[in-house]
Amino acid sequence: MTASLDPQSLPSAIPAGFARAAAAMHPTVRSLLVEGADPATIPVDDLLAALGREGSPTAAEYGSVMVVPQSLSARACAALRAAVDSQRRLEADSVDGQAEHQLNLSRAALEALVGSAEAAKLWRLPTAFRARTA
């Protein structure tokens, strides 16, 4: 993880505004959001500190966290990314002050986007989580 980032070092396909925002990010946040660090390698307390949220409850304090690799197919993930890229909200969020890149979807809109079978996988996750943590 680098301490600072030269915006010029990012690929030219990245918009200049994103490159500047990436350069201004805390190195821990940048490693996750820009450099592709494996989230499992970043201690949660380091991330909370980087976000200015020291003392926030961690997953251990809340209880269990369920990891489900490939919860959605690559096709479904690509469809979601494309929708977020083309229809997202760009208001600043409360975590890092950068654009949210958030797309609110109703259940019907999600199913139309990824298909009912893929969406059903997501709807089953809370039940699976409850079964694991009961």
Side-chain angles (χ1 to χ4, degrees):
M1 182 169 32
T2 58
S4 64
L5 177 74
D6 176 3
Q8 302 300 320
S9 69
L10 293 170
S12 61
I14 293 177
F18 180 82
R20 285 189 301 277
M25 289 177 184
H26 185 284
T28 301
V29 175
R30 187 176 54 247
S31 71
L32 287 165
L33 298 181
V34 179
E35 298 167 358
D38 178 353
T41 67
I42 307 294
V44 70
D45 290 332
D46 290 358
L47 181 58
L48 289 171
L51 295 172
R53 301 201 178 218
E54 295 92 345
S56 295
T58 63
E61 293 166 318
Y62 275 122
S64 299
V65 173
M66 185 171 78
V67 177
V68 184
Q70 300 175 337
S71 299
L72 293 174
S73 69
R75 183 200 58 78
C77 286
L80 282 172
R81 284 192 310 274
V84 169
D85 286 346
S86 66
Q87 303 169 36
R88 67 185 176 247
R89 292 178 32 193
L90 293 176
E91 292 86 15
D93 72 14
S94 62
V95 174
D96 61 7
Q98 300 299 315
E100 283 186 305
H101 301 285
Q102 175 175 321
L103 176 61
N104 296 328
L105 294 171
S106 67
R107 183 179 187 123
L110 178 65
E111 289 177 354
L113 189 62
V114 301
S116 58
E118 291 287 332
K121 292 179 188 178
L122 296 178
W123 308 140
R124 288 191 295 269
L125 290 174
T127 302
F129 178 76
R130 282 192 298 272
R132 286 186 183 183
T133 60

